[in-house]
Amino acid sequence: MDPLQSPMTVTKNPEPSTAPLAGKTALVTGASRGIGRAIAEHLARAGARIAIHYHTRAEDARATRTALAGSGHRLFPADLGQAEERRRLIGEVLSDMEGPHILVNNAGLYRLTPLLEAPETVWLRDFEDLLNVNLIAPAHLACLCAHVMTERGIRGRIINIGSRGAFRGEPEAPGYGAAKAGLHALTQSLALALGPHHIAVMAIAPGWVGTDMAKPHLEGPRGPSILAQSPLGRAARPEEVAALALYLAGEDAEYATGSVVDLNGASYLR
Ligand SMILES: NC(=O)c1ccc[n+]([C@@H]2O[C@H](COP(=O)([O-])OP(=O)(O)OC[C@H]3O[C@@H](n4cnc5c(N)ncnc54)[C@H](OP(=O)(O)O)[C@@H]3O)[C@@H](O)[C@H]2O)c1
């Protein structure tokens, strides 16, 4: 018998390593549904404990927790449009959990307010709300978490969910487009500022994704033309965004810091 073929000498594949995010805490904002829930599920499957942030949908947030692999996940409600709520959120996460090692700024608001159709006061209110939730809140959370990460010597990750709309323009939701463009620019600035502390900062810029936010558009009269924007003829699934977020949260992705990664099915090529 060829000794190389004997059962004693057959080379086996190595045992699977421990979960890549074991021992890490990830704060995922807007994890009650949509892309945030999918990201929470992916990170939890990789071993992370999830701080599940939500705003109004407590029942959906509980359903997210039930769906997560592992244990130790906690729920944290907060209106991210309010600075005091953001401070309270981070304070509660710090007192209940370790880390945070990973911050995913996912929560977002989309509102149609065309410049020439909405009354000026409504337009301004919406513009301010969109900037507040989609840009100022992620910036403030990043600031709060970066302080904690540097004080605790955590080689952290900050992942911002941006949008293709930042590049392509959002004629009916200019506040949304402006906020997401700002979020991409913020990602680059923070990557430079926090790189020396080994905190990597990245953004994902999805095109249309099949969630509550997009449903009225995808299922409305413009649906077919929206889907036709991609040569794949479809919108993204939340899980596809989550798979990219999982990669960016992992050890191997530190050098992707400063990146704004397109995930738009070739519907818009920069
Ligand atoms: N869907 C798309 O086509 C698409 C495309 C590009 C980028 N994105 C971005 O991807 C991210 C997730 O979008 P999604 O499609 O998953 O959205 P979604 O299904 O509408 O969910 C929005 C999430 O944000 C939370 N949220 C909204 N306003 C908030 C506030 N004031 N304070 C705290 N949390 C708030 C919601 O909490 P509650 O449920 O508890 O109220 C919910 O968890 C957003 O940043 C969005 O801009 C989405």
Side-chain angles (χ1 to χ4, degrees):
M1 187 183 192
D2 179 353
L4 291 176
Q5 297 300 321
S6 95
M8 298 300 289
T9 55
V10 167
T11 312
K12 285 192 174 159
N13 288 329
E15 287 299 313
S17 57
T18 52
L21 300 182
K24 298 202 191 275
T25 296
L27 167 58
V28 183
T29 68
S32 47
R33 53 202 166 109
I35 295 169
R37 178 185 287 191
I39 292 174
E41 288 177 0
H42 274 61
L43 299 185
R45 272 205 295 276
R49 273 185 306 276
I50 312 298
I52 302 163
H53 159 267
Y54 67 98
H55 180 206
T56 55
R57 307 255 196 134
E59 204 170 309
D60 289 340
R62 281 195 290 274
T64 297
R65 183 169 61 180
T66 306
L68 297 186
S71 60
H73 314 298
R74 301 277 166 81
L75 299 170
F76 298 95
D79 175 2
L80 296 183
Q82 312 288 333
E84 270 318 309
E85 292 269 296
R86 299 191 290 262
R87 291 191 188 98
R88 182 184 56 74
L89 168 68
I90 297 303
E92 288 177 5
V93 171
L94 291 181
S95 68
D96 282 16
M97 303 179 84
E98 289 176 358
H101 307 85
I102 300 160
L103 166 66
V104 183
N105 275 316
N106 164 79
L109 181 66
Y110 187 70
R111 221 182 260 164
L112 298 181
T113 325
L115 188 72
L116 299 178
E117 289 164 36
E120 173 265 331
T121 49
V122 172
W123 189 85
L124 181 61
R125 183 208 59 200
D126 282 2
F127 196 87
E128 288 176 343
D129 286 352
L130 287 161
L131 254 70
N132 202 15
V133 174
N134 294 330
L135 177 58
I136 294 174
H140 190 191
L141 293 179
C143 171
L144 292 164
C145 287
H147 276 281
V148 177
M149 288 170 179
T150 50
E151 280 157 18
R152 298 183 173 182
I154 292 172
R155 296 163 78 103
R157 286 295 147 83
I158 298 174
I159 301 169
N160 296 318
I161 307 302
S163 173
R164 179 191 70 164
F167 308 116
R168 210 173 152 262
E170 290 279 348
E172 294 174 316
Y176 182 84
K180 293 297 187 178
L183 188 58
H184 295 168
L186 177 83
T187 300
Q188 295 169 330
S189 298
L190 294 189
L192 290 169
L194 299 175
H197 301 278
H198 292 281
I199 298 169
V201 189
M202 305 85 163
I204 299 175
W208 289 99
V209 186
T211 66
D212 291 347
M213 185 181 277
K215 241 175 224 158
H217 307 278
L218 298 175
E219 292 173 1
R222 287 169 50 217
S225 71
I226 289 173
L227 297 180
Q229 290 170 3
S230 163
L232 302 176
R234 66 174 178 87
R237 294 185 295 276
E239 293 72 23
E240 292 175 301
V241 184
L244 178 54
L246 173 60
Y247 164 69
L248 293 176
E251 200 66 39
D252 292 340
E254 186 185 51
Y255 216 71
T257 193
S259 302
V260 179
V261 185
D262 289 335
L263 193 94
N264 65 37
S267 61
Y268 184 72
L269 301 175
R270 299 194 268 148

